[in-house]
Amino acid sequence: MDTDSNYTETLEKTVRDLLERQEDLIRTAFTDQLTGLGNRGGFAHSLEEIWEQELPVTMAFIDIDNLKHCNDIFGHDEGNRYILQVSLYLKLYMKVDEAAFRLGGDEFAILSTIATEDDLAERLEHCRTILLKNNDSEMPHSFSYGVSHADPALGEAPNRMTLDADHRMYDYKLRHAMHLDRRNITQVHADDFEISDRVFDAFSMLNEGRYFFIENLDKHRILWSQGALRDLGLPSEHIDNYRDYWKTRVHPDDLEACIDDIDQVYNGTKHRRVMQYRVRNAAGGYVLCRVRGFRIDGDGNVPSLYVGELVN
C-alpha cells in the first residue's frame, strides 16, 4: 500500500509540475517582454475567447505619440523608457478583469467586458492628461486612443470593432497629437525635403514599418520611402504626376474609386483618407493594400501636402 501511495503521489506531483510548466510556457508566449503586458498573440487569444463566450466587449487602441521621433533624437533607451511609462499609466487606470496588451512598437490595446465606451474613453483621457503633466523628459509623453464596442451574441464581428477603434484613434491623433509642444525636439532632415516640420508632425501619427509617402499637391510630386521602392517596384523615390502614374499600378476594378478618392484629396474636399485597393507589386502580381493619409493645407508661402502610409 505504501508503495502504491508513493507512486500515486509521485505521479500526481509530476502531472502538477507538467501543468505548471505548460502554464508558464503559455504565459511567456503571450507576454510582452519589455512591459509585462500581453502581446499580440495574447490579444488575439483573449479576443477569440471573448467571442466564444459571446461576451459584450469594449476595446481601445492606443498609439504612443511621437515615439519614432523620441528614438531618433534621444535614442532607443529613452524610447523604451517612454513605452514603459505609458504601460505603467495604462495599468494604473485599468479596472479589475480588464486586460492590456502591447501589440508591438508603439501600439497598445485594452479589452474590457465590464466598461462602456464612455467609461473607458473617460479613463484614458484622464490617464493621458496626467501623463502629459507628470513627465520629466525633454519631450512630451502622451498617446492617442480610439474606443469601440461589440456584442458577439448579436453576430457582430471582431474585425469591425478593431477597425472602428483604429479609425477613432487615428482621428484623435489628427486632432490632438499635432498640437503637442515640440519646442524641445530637434528637427531632423527637414531641409532634405525642403519642407517644414509639419511633415514630421504627420509622420509621428503613423506606425513604423509601413510604406510612407509625402506628396506636394501644388507640384504634383510625391516622395516614397525606400521600402516602397523595394516591394512595389517603383521607378524612383520621386514620382511626378502621381495621379497619372498610379493609374498604371492599381487594379482596373479598383481604379475608378481610387482616382475619385485621390481627386477629393487634390481639390481639398477630403482631408482624411482611408481606403483599400489592389496594387501591383514588384513581382507583377496584385496585393491588397490599405492607405491612410491626411491633407495639410498650405498657403501662399508653403505648399499643400498629402502625407500618409500604405500597408500591404
Side-chain angles (χ1 to χ4, degrees):
M1 293 293 292
D2 290 341
T3 301
D4 290 342
S5 176
N6 290 337
Y7 175 78
T8 300
E9 289 179 3
T10 301
L11 182 61
E12 289 177 348
K13 183 179 184 303
T14 300
V15 171
R16 284 197 304 271
D17 289 344
L18 288 173
L19 289 174
E20 289 176 0
R21 288 176 60 188
Q22 183 182 36
E23 290 176 358
D24 288 341
L25 288 172
I26 293 173
R27 189 160 43 246
T28 300
F30 287 159
T31 300
D32 176 66
Q33 297 304 304
L34 177 62
T35 64
L37 301 177
N39 59 18
R40 185 178 290 274
F43 173 76
H45 180 72
S46 296
L47 206 58
E48 183 178 344
E49 286 189 332
I50 287 171
W51 249 258
E52 286 178 354
Q53 298 173 39
E54 296 189 335
L55 299 173
V57 59
T58 300
M59 76 157 294
F61 264 145
I62 298 113
D63 192 89
I64 297 178
D65 296 325
N66 297 321
L67 177 61
K68 184 179 184 301
H69 214 89
C70 178
N71 286 329
D72 290 344
I73 303 303
F74 304 109
H76 285 273
D77 287 344
E78 181 64 24
N80 286 340
R81 179 173 175 269
Y82 190 175
I83 292 170
L84 285 168
Q85 187 180 33
V86 170
S87 68
L88 174 61
Y89 272 72
L90 291 177
K91 291 176 188 177
L92 291 174
Y93 283 86
M94 287 170 53
K95 295 180 178 179
V96 177
D97 296 330
E98 294 179 334
F101 307 86
R102 183 183 176 217
L103 304 183
D106 51 8
E107 297 179 331
F108 293 79
I110 292 175
L111 291 175
S112 175
T113 56
I114 59 175
T116 64
E117 285 187 48
D118 289 343
D119 170 41
L120 187 53
E122 183 177 344
R123 279 186 279 140
L124 286 172
E125 185 64 29
H126 191 206
C127 177
R128 182 181 188 270
T129 301
I130 299 301
L131 177 63
L132 274 167
K133 290 180 178 179
N134 297 343
N135 173 47
D136 59 358
S137 175
E138 295 182 68
M139 65 171 285
H141 282 189
S142 70
F143 58 79
S144 299
Y145 63 88
V147 180
S148 185
H149 181 83
D151 189 344
L154 299 179
E156 296 177 336
N159 64 330
R160 193 276 305 166
M161 178 182 68
T162 56
L163 281 173
D164 281 352
D166 184 48
H167 290 169
R168 292 172 184 177
M169 180 277 294
Y170 192 62
D171 284 339
Y172 186 99
K173 194 175 287 283
L174 294 176
R175 294 195 307 271
H176 296 82
M178 290 183 67
H179 305 299
L180 293 175
D181 181 2
R182 295 169 58 90
R183 287 173 297 180
N184 294 324
I185 305 177
T186 306
Q187 292 187 25
V188 180
H189 306 312
D191 293 339
D192 293 347
F193 302 107
E194 297 181 353
I195 50 179
S196 72
D197 64 350
R198 298 178 307 140
V199 168
F200 291 102
D201 285 330
F203 270 126
S204 72
M205 302 176 205
L206 306 174
N207 300 320
E208 299 180 59
R210 306 294 198 258
Y211 305 139
F212 296 129
F213 59 85
I214 309 167
E215 183 171 8
N216 183 318
L217 296 175
D218 297 345
K219 295 183 178 180
H220 302 288
R221 195 176 200 213
I222 193 166
L223 172 67
W224 279 95
S225 64
Q226 292 298 313
L229 269 69
R230 180 190 65 243
D231 298 337
L232 299 180
L234 302 181
S236 169
E237 63 184 31
H238 293 283
I239 298 177
D240 293 322
N241 299 316
Y242 167 71
R243 181 182 180 278
D244 294 333
Y245 173 78
W246 211 235
K247 291 180 181 179
T248 68
R249 306 305 301 251
V250 175
H251 192 284
D253 293 344
D254 300 337
L255 186 57
E256 183 178 354
C258 174
I259 295 301
D260 179 65
D261 211 59
I262 292 175
D263 286 344
Q264 291 185 60
V265 173
Y266 268 64
N267 61 34
T269 58
K270 177 184 285 189
H271 280 70
R272 175 178 177 267
R273 178 184 179 217
V274 179
M275 72 172 299
Q276 291 188 145
Y277 48 76
R278 288 161 287 182
V279 176
R280 188 155 44 85
N281 62 14
Y286 285 99
V287 292
L288 182 63
C289 293
R290 182 168 182 251
V291 178
R292 300 195 307 179
F294 189 70
R295 175 186 169 116
I296 306 173
D297 290 328
D299 54 32
N301 299 316
V302 294
S304 293
L305 301 173
Y306 176 46
V307 183
E309 64 174 354
L310 184 145
V311 182
N312 179 355

